[in-house]
Amino acid sequence: MVVKTDIPEKLASLGVLTHDDVAAVTKEAESAGVSFQKALVGLGIVSEDRLLEFLTHIYSVEAVNPVSVEVPAQILKLIPADIAAKYNAVPVYKHGRTLALAMIDPTDMHAINDLKFITGLEIQPMVATESSLAAAIEMFYQAQDDLEDMVKGLGDEDLELIDDQEDEDEGLDEAEQAPVIKFVNSMIADAVRKLASDIHIEPAEKFFRVRFRIDGTLHEVIKQPAKMKCAIVSRVKIMSELDIAEKRLPQDGRIKIRLENKTIDIRVSSLPTVYGEKIVMRILDKGNLTLDLDRFGFQENALKHFIEAIEAPYGMVLVTGPTGSGKTTTLYSALNRINKCDVNIMTAEDPVEYNLDGINQVQMHDSIGLTFARCLRSFLRQDPNIIMVGEIRDSETGSIAGKAALTGHLVLSTVHTNDAPSTVDRLIDMGIQPFLVAASVNLVLAQRLVRKICGKCKGPVDVHPEAFAELGIREAEGKALTFYKGRGCSACNSTGYSGRQGLFEVMPVTPEIRSMILERQASDKIKKRAVAHGMLTLRQDALLKLKAGITTVEEVLRETAKDE
């Protein structure tokens, strides 16, 4: 072990920094009131990982990133929180009578001797960067009591983290896990059991909160002091293999877990905000994925038109609606219905949400040039029968998809528009020729999701006459109907709703509508013609479900617009 050497001078002697770099970093450190190490990484001159490599060389000891190590609780107890903070030292593991410690300065004999006396063990110093040690101390010590109380509030967990490379369990026994690890595991398990689609971890100035999105609506489940947020965010980033040192740029990762004998994929997105990083975790539970079109809530005639379109040998079928309206589930269900051993189905997705047997799915990577358009061109050389494109975002993708639909391929895709008729205008505005839109598109489906009334606390409710006018129902008709609402119970988390139901606006492109597209007629005229041919608008479909007692007046008004 070398005698302690001045870090700036040593890095300069190794050729890592110039003397100008040393001066610039020193100036930045002094003005910002931070250490040389922190300023060095903050200025982007050296990355956290590279700095750790240089520190290993300087001190001739093993390097470690303590936040990436799952330290059992009984080992953490060997060094009290105040001592860990005082000496910037965190226990990593214990082997026999030797305790491995992550330290900023592994040559600090005063600290080593004190820690040897406190623990009664031999000390094996390891070097770690300042920021990783600060994160580890916060994660392992500062919020333990509060986190343990929060874990009790969430309930027990039985969650295993799966390594994608080896597909083996990396979980520790619950009694040996640090409180932050138990908290994150319990939070995820609780979200899965409550059928949440997303977990939001959101920082604020003086607190952080956790919200679950259940049936399309966010519900706050935790609100706690801000001191715990960094530890929780760091743990999630470790699980999803994100760079915990990078807090300035958005990152995307993935977690695979096993819970109650089910394997669940979780997509993780981190985003820097004013008060820290916000984490959103999208839960992809294939066990809850319904792929039976008959259970979606289509009206009989609408389902008949949709099935005819997806079972056609060629042409384009488009599903439209805002984010979170169930478009991907509808497309997966369509593919599931037409997935047979004698057809070649290929999909281009961003991201691939669920893996479907017998279908060739490709994940888009714009950063390396693997775009929808490029993937589509490659698909056409792979002898496909059916192609699914995650989204038509530009004229190039739309034109290739349209030409594929005209040359003997069935093409399924999505577009972001408010209703089915306006999809035509959207495609043409992208720069796709009207003749190509008219010739290639066989059917457009617009959809929304409304919450269903909880069956266990459902009861009749009075509706104000003004609501009838807003709904487009005559007052006399409205008074003759019975409307329902959930009172709220334990089964529905006191929301009055349980599950969601689809609303569908299915517009087959008939010869008359093709002519209107070629003539560039306005979407409102196309809509009137489609309704005259029997198309139910989103509002009309919603009213049928309202009258059937499936959903509430509030949901209909929230999710659909009044027909002009």
Side-chain angles (χ1 to χ4, degrees):
M1 188 181 293
V2 299
V3 178
K4 182 179 177 182
T5 309
D6 183 72
I7 295 296
E9 292 182 5
K10 191 64 178 177
L11 290 174
S13 68
L14 290 172
V16 178
L17 302 177
T18 65
H19 290 294
D20 288 342
D21 288 334
V22 171
V25 175
T26 302
K27 183 178 179 181
E28 173 66 19
E30 290 174 352
S31 64
V34 298
S35 68
F36 184 88
Q37 272 196 32
K38 200 164 187 178
L40 180 64
V41 174
L43 288 171
I45 297 173
V46 174
S47 70
E48 188 100 0
D49 290 339
R50 289 290 289 161
L51 176 59
L52 195 56
E53 290 178 19
F54 296 133
L55 292 176
T56 303
H57 180 78
I58 290 170
Y59 291 117
S60 298
V61 296
E62 189 177 347
V64 66
N65 184 346
V67 293
S68 66
V69 181
E70 294 184 352
V71 184
Q74 64 266 31
I75 293 180
L76 287 173
K77 290 176 182 176
L78 292 171
I79 298 179
D82 57 336
I83 300 298
K86 177 182 178 181
Y87 291 119
N88 276 315
V90 171
V92 179
Y93 64 83
K94 178 176 172 284
H95 182 68
R97 298 293 303 163
T98 301
L99 180 66
L101 286 180
M103 305 177 68
I104 293 177
D105 180 7
T107 66
D108 186 348
M109 295 309 299
H110 173 67
I112 290 171
N113 288 332
D114 275 4
L115 293 168
K116 182 177 179 180
F117 176 76
I118 291 167
T119 62
L121 299 170
E122 293 297 320
I123 300 298
Q124 177 189 333
M126 304 174 75
V127 68
T129 61
E130 181 182 354
S131 62
S132 67
L133 271 168
I137 290 170
E138 184 168 20
M139 178 187 294
F140 293 146
Y141 292 109
Q142 292 183 3
Q144 286 200 19
D145 293 339
D146 291 326
L147 283 170
E148 285 175 343
D149 290 340
M150 289 159 61
V151 170
K152 292 175 186 175
L154 285 171
D156 295 332
E157 48 78 19
D158 183 22
L159 178 150
E160 300 172 359
L161 182 62
I162 299 173
D163 187 325
D164 253 352
Q165 301 301 318
E166 300 177 3
D167 198 32
E168 291 182 357
D169 172 32
E170 289 185 353
L172 292 173
D173 184 82
E174 184 176 348
E176 296 181 344
Q177 293 177 351
V180 67
I181 297 172
K182 290 194 287 186
F183 169 76
V184 173
N185 286 359
S186 295
M187 177 185 67
I188 294 172
D190 193 47
V192 172
R193 292 190 184 108
K194 289 180 177 176
L195 303 181
S197 60
D198 303 87
I199 302 171
H200 291 243
I201 303 173
E202 301 169 317
E205 184 177 9
K206 296 181 179 179
F207 65 88
F208 83 97
R209 68 179 177 180
V210 177
R211 295 192 291 173
F212 294 167
R213 187 178 293 280
I214 302 172
D215 293 336
T217 303
L218 285 168
H219 301 272
E220 185 176 286
V221 293
I222 295 167
K223 186 174 181 180
Q224 292 291 330
K227 64 181 181 179
M228 295 177 288
K229 66 185 179 186
C230 292
I232 293 167
V233 167
S234 294
R235 174 58 187 165
V236 173
K237 291 174 77 173
I238 290 165
M239 292 174 71
S240 50
E241 299 183 354
L242 301 181
D243 182 358
I244 65 162
E246 179 54 78
K247 299 181 180 181
R248 301 166 298 172
L249 297 173
Q251 297 185 71
D252 295 301
R254 180 183 171 193
I255 302 170
K256 182 180 281 189
I257 62 169
R258 187 177 293 111
L259 179 66
E260 298 173 352
N261 297 319
K262 292 193 301 183
T263 299
I264 297 168
D265 282 317
I266 300 174
R267 289 208 320 267
V268 179
S269 171
S270 74
L271 180 72
T273 70
V274 173
Y275 296 113
E277 291 176 279
K278 171 174 176 171
I279 300 286
V280 175
M281 307 168 73
R282 168 65 58 88
I283 299 170
L284 304 174
D285 183 358
K286 194 172 181 180
N288 291 330
L289 182 64
T290 301
L291 296 177
D292 185 357
L293 287 171
D294 294 324
R295 296 171 57 190
F296 275 36
F298 280 95
Q299 301 301 324
E300 184 178 353
N301 203 42
L303 180 60
K304 175 176 171 287
H305 287 308
F306 184 63
I307 290 175
E308 285 176 354
I310 64 174
E311 290 182 346
Y314 57 85
M316 193 185 306
V317 176
L318 298 175
V319 181
T320 182
T323 300
S325 60
K327 299 187 300 295
T328 300
T329 302
T330 299
L331 287 177
Y332 278 164
S333 302
L335 291 177
N336 185 63
R337 187 181 184 98
I338 57 182
N339 182 16
K340 298 179 175 61
C341 63
D342 60 346
V343 295
N344 178 18
I345 302 177
M346 310 197 73
T347 74
E349 304 175 56
D350 186 20
V352 175
E353 294 199 6
Y354 296 98
N355 300 116
L356 302 177
D357 294 335
I359 294 176
N360 306 286
Q361 297 172 270
V362 181
Q363 168 72 54
M364 298 300 94
H365 291 287
D366 288 351
S367 60
I368 60 172
L370 184 56
T371 61
F372 283 124
R374 185 171 182 179
C375 202
L376 264 177
R377 289 195 191 93
S378 297
F379 280 2
L380 295 175
R381 295 191 290 271
Q382 291 278 321
D383 187 31
N385 300 102
I386 300 165
I387 296 170
M388 193 268 270
V389 186
E391 182 184 348
I392 294 178
R393 298 174 178 170
D394 52 60
S395 61
E396 184 180 17
T397 305
S399 296
I400 298 170
K403 291 171 184 174
L406 290 178
T407 54
H409 305 89
L410 177 66
V411 179
L412 309 179
S413 190
T414 71
V415 185
H416 284 282
T417 57
N418 291 325
D419 58 15
S422 62
T423 303
V424 172
D425 284 347
R426 176 79 180 106
L427 294 174
I428 293 173
D429 288 344
M430 281 184 192
I432 304 171
Q433 294 297 323
F435 77 86
L436 186 56
V437 175
S440 62
V441 178
N442 286 351
L443 179 140
V444 182
L445 181 153
Q447 71 177 74
R448 299 289 189 278
L449 291 173
V450 290
R451 290 181 291 174
K452 294 164 63 178
I453 302 170
C454 174
K456 295 190 176 180
C457 60
K458 179 178 178 180
V461 64
D462 293 330
V463 176
H464 196 281
E466 289 183 5
F468 297 144
E470 184 66 26
L471 289 167
I473 298 175
R474 295 191 309 274
E475 186 172 343
E477 180 188 2
K479 288 181 177 179
L481 295 169
T482 302
F483 298 94
Y484 296 91
K485 192 171 185 178
R487 293 182 296 274
C489 63
S490 58
C492 62
N493 294 313
S494 300
T495 63
Y497 296 98
S498 179
R500 287 192 286 179
Q501 174 81 73
L503 305 178
F504 301 98
E505 180 177 285
V506 179
M507 186 184 81
V509 180
T510 63
E512 188 173 354
I513 289 177
R514 290 189 198 280
S515 297
M516 295 176 76
I517 295 171
L518 285 170
E519 294 167 5
R520 292 296 308 271
Q521 293 199 29
S523 59
D524 59 337
K525 292 184 178 179
I526 293 176
K527 181 175 182 176
K528 287 179 182 177
R529 179 55 53 194
V531 169
H533 287 174
M535 181 186 84
L536 287 176
T537 66
L538 287 167
R539 172 58 65 86
Q540 289 170 342
D541 193 26
L543 289 176
L544 290 175
K545 291 175 171 67
L546 175 65
K547 294 172 183 178
I550 294 171
T551 191
T552 63
V553 170
E554 291 81 4
E555 283 294 288
V556 172
L557 294 176
R558 184 170 70 93
E559 291 294 339
T560 64
K562 190 173 182 180
D563 293 322
E564 297 298 331

